[in-house]
DNA sequence: TCCACCATGTAACTGGTTACATGATTAC
DNA sequence: GTAATCATGTAACCAGTTACATGGTGGA
């Protein structure tokens, strides 16, 4: 069995469907209207992606003809789909993911609590923080040695990147604080803590 | 004549070549080793992109057989190429550009001083700042109304996006200050100021 | 009747990914 | 002689873009 590959759009769709069964049209609206606007929305992307996911048995579409409206094909995730999602969000954080702008990492994180619980999120944040620190120090040393020979706009563009990553780095601390707070204030997850030794 | 379209990678290559004539191998190294790591580097992307640019007469490659090394095809930009670059960096800042993460905008900015001078950069920064402000207020109001029903990780991911854009917004102020300072400290650009009315 | 919206598709094209191929030069 | 590096290419594949097609429903 080849290690079935799924595009980022595919994971975005799978994640949304796993949280809440939806039709292609619903998903398009989400991409078009919410903060997930980067992912691309057009029917020519979404419907084929859904078909692929269905052919891989990661989602299942059922036609809902209840209301008087046109037939809607509502997809829900299968156990295999949820498992695949878990595998994806559990992937170790690579420096290459960080380099590419960390968008995919943030997508993973946004689904993380639903899939792995607070412990998974905390673990991810720690990995992410370490990767950011490493990448940042590389960027900063690059800027120190090469910055002077760049035109002002080039130097400023580079600095914008550094600021962005430093902001993310600070955000990880903030997010970790938020999680620690939520874990202490409502210690309902003692069972999950006990079984959650994975990785 | 159809409005010849150029991919972002194409513009990145064209911009680098315009600054300094380079071979495909040089350009690959830049993408692989410097902070421009997002752009994709592999020969299967770069060489065809260069061929396209050459067939559009935006760059010209000359084989350099001076040293004992293997023949290097060094590309330099043509007047048409520089003109196309100018058109690209002068494009008005669209909110959709901002939404997609502003990476292309930052690429444009990094070449801007070389192509349009300080005035162009300042003008761009003002547009960018306005677009960011508008997008940010939209994002923030979205977070205010929809944030509560998201899981913590989803809310934090959204907040990370907002922080990133706010950081860019602050950066525009910083960059404008840097430009104002450079303009007053060395007012050598009076000629350019006079002729530089174009948008 | 006609428009706007809901909802799903499809077909052509194209740029990027992956992986492989080649061949010259320098250093050991 | 062989490994590493310089340097350029090519071929198969595939996901996303653009644009068009379809057709049902509710309201003016």
């Amino acid at each position: 069995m080849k290690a079935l590959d799924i595009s980022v759009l595919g994971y975005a769709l799978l994640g949304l469907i796993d949280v809440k069964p939806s039709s292609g049209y619903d998903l398009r609206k989400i991409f078009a209207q919410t903060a997930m606007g980067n992912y691309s929305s057009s029917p020519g992307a979404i419907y084929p992606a859904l078909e692929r996911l269905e052919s891989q048995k990661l989602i299942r579409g059922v036609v809902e003809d209840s209301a008087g409206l046109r037939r809607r094909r509502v997809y829900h995730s299968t156990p295999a789909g949820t498992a695949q999602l878990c595998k994806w969000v559990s992937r170790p954080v690579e420096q290459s993911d960080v380099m590419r702008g960390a968008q995919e990492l943030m997508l993973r994180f946004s689904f993380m609590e639903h899939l792995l619980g607070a412990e998974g999120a905390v673990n991810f944040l720690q990995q992410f923080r370490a990767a950011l620190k490493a990448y940042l120090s590389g960027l900063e040393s690059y800027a120190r040695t090469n910055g002077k020979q760049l035109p002002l706009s080039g130097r400023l563009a580079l600095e914008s990147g550094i600021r962005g990553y430093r902001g993310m780095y600070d955000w990880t601390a903030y997010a970790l604080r938020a999680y620690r707070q939520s874990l202490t204030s409502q210690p309902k997850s003692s069972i999950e803590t006990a079984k959650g030794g994975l990785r």
Side-chain angles (χ1 to χ4, degrees), chain A:
Chain A
M1 180 197 284
K2 56 177 72 173
L4 60 150
D5 62 344
I6 303 168
S7 67
V8 183
L9 175 62
Y11 281 116
L13 293 168
L14 186 51
L16 289 170
I17 289 167
D18 193 69
V19 171
K20 181 172 183 299
S22 312
S23 68
Y25 194 76
D26 294 338
L27 296 161
R28 283 185 65 199
K29 268 196 302 188
I30 290 174
F31 291 141
Q33 294 169 0
T34 75
M36 301 190 73
N38 357 30
Y39 300 98
S40 94
S41 72
S42 66
I46 301 252
Y47 291 106
L50 288 171
E51 278 165 26
R52 263 174 271 145
L53 290 172
E54 188 165 31
S55 79
Q56 295 171 312
K57 313 271 172 110
L58 304 176
I59 57 176
R60 267 271 295 288
V62 289
V63 178
E64 172 200 73
D65 45 14
S66 53
L69 289 159
R70 203 203 186 192
R71 85 258 131 100
R72 275 160 50 88
R73 184 174 292 265
V74 176
Y75 291 97
H76 58 93
S77 65
T78 65
T82 307
Q84 209 60 32
L85 257 183
C86 281
K87 239 172 85 179
W88 176 60
V89 299
S90 308
R91 288 221 272 252
V93 175
E94 315 266 7
Q95 68 279 37
S96 64
D97 297 327
V98 174
M99 222 182 59
R100 283 173 201 164
Q103 291 183 28
E104 185 174 344
L105 290 175
M106 289 308 309
L107 184 67
R108 279 166 58 182
F109 180 69
S110 68
F111 292 135
M112 191 146 300
E113 187 168 341
H114 172 245
L115 292 160
L116 302 182
E119 289 85 7
V122 167
N123 174 52
F124 174 88
L125 285 169
Q126 282 162 346
Q127 283 186 61
F128 190 19
R129 187 170 172 77
L132 279 167
K133 191 175 178 181
Y135 186 59
L136 254 174
S137 81
L139 261 189
E140 274 161 355
S141 82
Y142 175 81
R144 240 176 286 119
T145 57
N146 301 26
K148 277 156 196 172
Q149 66 208 43
L150 292 172
L152 181 52
S153 67
R155 197 155 66 243
L156 286 167
L158 179 55
E159 212 170 315
S160 161
I162 291 174
R163 278 166 169 247
Y165 284 110
R166 197 176 308 139
M168 269 193 197
Y169 182 72
D170 295 341
W171 170 85
T172 57
Y174 167 77
L176 281 167
R177 250 180 288 132
Y179 265 106
R180 296 227 166 87
Q181 203 172 348
S182 84
L183 284 174
T184 53
S185 68
Q186 33 172 305
K188 44 115 197 188
S189 64
S190 52
I191 306 113
E192 260 128 39
T193 309
K195 76 166 184 189
L198 174 98
R199 108 162 355 266

